[in-house]
Amino acid sequence: YGLSLMQFLFEPVSQSISTLIGDTILKGLNQYEPRVIVERIYVNGIPDDNSYIITLIISIPSLNILQVNIDAQLNNTGFSVA
């Protein structure tokens, strides 16, 4: 189980890579965690740091959890949740 986001770190930071990261997260959550409803995914590239700031807005209706924001960073040391 995993989303293989590290593959994107050695590509130039761009809007198209940001879109691919968002799509990868969405597909992975839909496949591996169907209880989660993804409301929004924001992926902002930071070229100077070769990193991405990722914000997920999700809901988990079966647990009565509505609109949780998860902020994270993807960089050369991995994926970390803020």
Side-chain angles (χ1 to χ4, degrees):
Y1 170 74
L3 300 178
S4 302
L5 296 177
M6 294 297 286
Q7 68 180 317
F8 299 112
L9 289 179
F10 302 103
E11 299 293 331
V13 174
S14 67
Q15 182 60 43
S16 61
I17 297 297
S18 293
T19 300
L20 286 172
I21 290 170
D23 290 347
T24 300
I25 292 169
L26 181 60
K27 288 177 188 173
L29 285 172
N30 286 338
Q31 180 178 359
Y32 296 115
E33 193 47 81
R35 296 173 294 181
V36 172
I37 295 173
V38 178
E39 307 287 345
R40 297 285 298 170
I41 300 175
Y42 300 101
V43 181
N44 296 309
I46 304 172
D48 292 342
D49 292 338
N50 196 37
S51 66
Y52 295 88
I53 301 297
I54 301 167
T55 300
L56 297 173
I57 303 171
I58 63 167
S59 297
I60 310 171
S62 63
L63 299 176
N64 202 29
I65 298 172
L66 304 175
Q67 291 219 335
V68 173
N69 289 3
I70 301 170
D71 295 315
Q73 184 172 18
L74 177 65
N75 59 28
N76 62 356
T77 62
F79 183 81
S80 60
V81 177

